[in-house]
Amino acid sequence: MALSAEEFQTVQAPKPEVLKKVDPVSLPQRPLVENNRSFHYITDLICSIVEVKTPTWWWIAFTVAALTASFTLMGLTYLVSTGVGVWGLNNPVNWGWAIVNFVFWIGIGHAGTLISAILCLLKQSWRTSINRAAEAMTIFAVVCAGIFPLFHVGRVWFAWWLFPLPNANWIWPQFRSPLEWDVFAVSTYGTVSFLFWCMGMIPDFATIRDRCGEVAKRRIEGASGAVEKAFQIGYQKFRLYLYTILSAGWRGSTNHWRNFEMAYLLLAGLCTPLVLSVHTIVSFDFAASILPGWHTTIFPPYFVAGAIFSGFGMVLTLMLPLRALYGLHDLITQAHIDNMCKITLATGSMVGYAYAMEFFIAWYGANPYEGFAFVNRAFGQYSWAYWIMISCNVISPQLFWFKSVRDNAALVWVISIFVNVGMWFERFVITVTSLANDFLPSSWGYYSPTMVDIFTYFGTFGLFSVLFLLFIRFLPLMALSEVKALSMPQGDPHYHGTDHRDSHTHKAKTPVHHHGEEGVDQ
């Protein structure tokens, strides 16, 4: 028989005399859902994002993003029709912007898996308002990242050779190559992240499904003219069928919740090692070589810390504007921003430590080639890129030590932009400086991207934005049940209040708003 909180306190072992004299002061905790918002308010606020008429700013942003994404399409079309020579690659810089952009986008997605999986296992409740958008960001970043190595092979129609598929010529990939490890690591990472993201949305799809009737009635009655009315009838039927399929027959029963939580926990455990393994394997692309500046054992933890650093920078870049546009200040509170700033500060400090250790190891190892590689980074022909990297990645995050900075959302957003810029320059510095000045001085050169490089890269930001805009327009931005568990303790299915019986029947007794199926809007 379960004990109430008061009964549990009475059966606990008595405190030692020393502890009785200690009166620790508990720090005030900022609420994760402000103003004591009700379940009804949370449901309406989150669901209204996908139910109301598409705002004008969304159409403007979508149009600009789609036009920007067309740059990538045109650049890749020109690349395939003409050849890889349209990129700025030369000898010895045979890796250029393509690999830089690949590592950059893979790193962007790491915060989503960290927030969703690791913080879930660590029972960090502040993740609930941002995990859904961070998961979406992970998947879209992997899509953008996959473009570059796919077309970097030159003959993209032979890219399927990267997979160990049976063929008549018995041609197999080189399994000892880190580039081949990338194929398996990134494909596994993308697949598991997509499953994790989709499964977490099933209860919320059911909530939107059950609200479709009232939304359809309201939109059809507000239609002006026969054509708009006919369009609304067809569109609302499509919405109902779509969310019915996506909700996978969810009814909110006890069995459904039990199976859902178990599957979510298992997928979180499966995603956790991927956070560490994927960027570790990406770092092996460099660390497994013998090139000075690359051949170092610090790369795996250095790359993982940098990936989390850049990922949280992108989460702040995306969530702060959404918070303002949709009025989500009660759900994405200052506590969320504070925690994300602190993680950005911590990982940025780790990255700065790694920069210092690279110089120390190069000096301590007494390898003249290694020493020259790092001195050349800081004071050579690419020194401008190195100091941009240092300024953005090491200096700018240190402002997060100050509470006044963390409380200024506009300033936090600007710093997050600097983080994104700095992490791209980090990948550029690592890739290009070591290749441009290798062992043979007679082959040294200067790498510069072409317009095809530039347009292809910036077009991926348009592709990323298109996917993210579609996500916030048609899919639930936050996990309803998890956010409600923070607004009131009774919203948590594992809550045990004073009256044990009532705490378990609370879900059934909570009134259902705007739809008829009981147990979904919990």
Side-chain angles (χ1 to χ4, degrees):
M1 178 179 178
L3 299 176
S4 67
E6 289 79 1
E7 293 171 335
F8 180 74
Q9 292 291 335
T10 59
V11 298
Q12 279 186 310
K15 291 182 178 180
E17 292 298 325
V18 176
L19 293 181
K20 290 180 180 179
K21 300 178 182 178
V22 177
D23 187 16
V25 178
S26 59
L27 295 175
Q29 297 292 327
R30 285 174 168 171
L32 296 176
V33 176
E34 293 183 339
N35 298 320
N36 295 321
R37 295 301 186 178
S38 65
F39 293 171
H40 176 79
Y41 175 88
I42 295 172
T43 301
D44 277 351
L45 182 62
I46 297 175
C47 291
S48 65
I49 296 175
V50 300
E51 291 172 349
V52 299
K53 186 177 179 180
T54 307
T56 304
W57 69 263
W58 188 93
W59 285 112
I60 296 173
F62 185 81
T63 303
V64 173
L67 291 175
T68 307
S70 67
F71 296 162
T72 294
L73 180 62
M74 290 187 291
L76 295 178
T77 302
Y78 183 60
L79 170 75
V80 174
S81 62
T82 309
V84 183
V86 301
W87 283 350
L89 304 177
N90 56 43
N91 192 8
V93 185
N94 295 301
W95 279 7
W97 271 36
I99 300 301
V100 173
N101 300 338
F102 163 69
V103 180
F104 170 78
W105 279 116
I106 287 293
I108 288 295
H110 265 57
T113 313
L114 175 77
I115 292 170
S116 301
I118 295 182
L119 296 185
C120 174
L121 296 178
L122 295 177
K123 304 296 183 183
Q124 296 296 306
S125 55
W126 63 269
R127 58 177 278 281
T128 54
S129 294
I130 59 174
N131 66 328
R132 180 71 51 75
E135 291 167 15
M137 186 189 76
T138 295
I139 296 161
F140 304 152
V142 170
V143 171
C144 294
I147 293 173
F148 293 101
L150 181 66
F151 284 86
H152 193 270
V153 299
R155 298 176 181 177
V156 67
W157 49 92
F158 290 142
W160 61 275
W161 284 3
L162 292 169
F163 293 93
L165 301 175
N167 58 84
N169 295 325
W170 288 90
I171 297 174
W172 298 99
Q174 174 57 275
F175 291 107
R176 290 178 294 180
S177 169
L179 302 179
E180 183 62 23
W181 305 343
D182 278 346
V183 176
F184 295 98
V186 175
S187 59
T188 302
Y189 181 55
T191 302
V192 175
S193 298
F194 181 74
L195 292 175
F196 194 44
W197 181 57
C198 290
M199 197 199 67
M201 289 190 289
I202 290 177
D204 302 330
F205 284 142
T207 299
I208 299 175
R209 172 200 66 194
D210 295 337
R211 294 167 57 95
C212 280
E214 183 180 337
V215 173
K217 181 181 178 182
R218 187 168 62 246
R219 295 292 291 274
I220 293 171
E221 289 176 352
S224 58
V227 176
E228 185 180 353
K229 187 173 183 179
F231 170 77
Q232 286 295 339
I233 292 173
Y235 176 65
Q236 296 304 326
K237 285 184 178 178
F238 169 76
R239 287 186 75 251
L240 177 60
Y241 293 147
L242 174 66
Y243 292 117
T244 300
I245 293 172
L246 294 176
S247 59
W250 179 273
R251 298 188 307 277
S253 65
T254 303
N255 285 337
H256 283 185
W257 278 111
R258 182 174 63 247
N259 294 335
F260 170 80
E261 291 183 354
M262 178 56 69
Y264 197 85
L265 188 64
L266 291 174
L267 279 176
L270 189 61
C271 286
T272 297
L274 292 177
V275 177
L276 305 175
S277 66
V278 172
H279 227 60
T280 296
I281 291 175
V282 170
S283 74
F284 287 164
D285 295 349
F286 306 94
S289 72
I290 60 171
L291 197 66
W294 287 5
H295 187 63
T296 174
T297 55
I298 201 175
F299 264 28
Y302 165 28
F303 268 54
V304 171
I308 297 171
F309 177 59
S310 62
F312 270 93
M314 184 61 80
V315 171
L316 286 167
T317 303
L318 295 175
M319 295 307 294
L320 290 177
L322 287 180
R323 179 175 181 254
L325 288 168
Y326 287 115
L328 301 173
H329 299 78
D330 289 339
L331 305 184
I332 303 175
T333 66
Q334 186 56 44
H336 295 93
I337 300 173
D338 220 43
N339 289 334
M340 286 190 284
C341 289
K342 290 174 182 177
I343 292 181
T344 304
L345 171 61
T347 50
S349 300
M350 293 177 191
V351 170
Y353 173 79
Y355 294 159
M357 281 299 100
E358 284 183 317
F359 275 87
F360 173 77
I361 293 170
W363 167 78
Y364 191 73
N367 185 327
Y369 303 105
E370 193 80 11
F372 169 80
F374 287 100
V375 171
N376 185 55
R377 281 185 185 179
F379 304 105
Q381 56 189 351
Y382 291 104
S383 60
W384 57 272
Y386 180 83
W387 292 109
I388 291 176
M389 174 192 79
I390 293 294
S391 301
C392 295
N393 292 348
V394 181
I395 298 175
S396 65
Q398 302 307 313
L399 294 173
F400 288 147
W401 283 105
F402 305 101
K403 185 176 181 296
S404 58
V405 174
R406 300 196 303 270
D407 288 344
N408 189 328
L411 187 55
V412 169
W413 188 77
V414 171
I415 295 174
S416 73
I417 296 292
F418 285 149
V419 169
N420 295 325
V421 172
M423 287 309 295
W424 185 89
F425 272 99
E426 180 199 285
R427 280 62 181 255
F428 177 82
V429 167
I430 290 173
T431 304
V432 175
T433 58
S434 293
L435 287 172
N437 302 101
D438 61 359
F439 293 102
L440 193 61
S442 61
S443 67
W444 288 1
Y446 190 85
Y447 168 81
S448 298
T450 64
M451 291 304 295
V452 179
D453 281 306
I454 295 170
F455 274 84
T456 303
Y457 169 58
F458 281 101
T460 56
F461 283 97
L463 174 61
F464 180 86
S465 300
V466 164
L467 295 174
F468 196 80
L469 286 167
L470 291 172
F471 157 68
I472 63 177
R473 184 68 193 96
F474 296 104
L475 302 179
L477 182 62
M478 298 180 188
L480 288 169
S481 60
E482 295 186 7
V483 174
K484 290 175 182 178
L486 300 178
S487 65
M488 297 181 187
Q490 295 87 347
D492 188 347
H494 305 294
Y495 170 75
H496 297 283
T498 304
D499 189 340
H500 180 73
R501 179 191 60 196
D502 288 346
S503 67
H504 274 277
T505 58
H506 178 82
K507 185 179 292 187
K509 296 192 295 185
T510 301
V512 179
H513 306 290
H514 297 300
H515 53 276
E517 187 161 342
E518 185 172 315
V520 174
D521 185 16
Q522 304 303 322

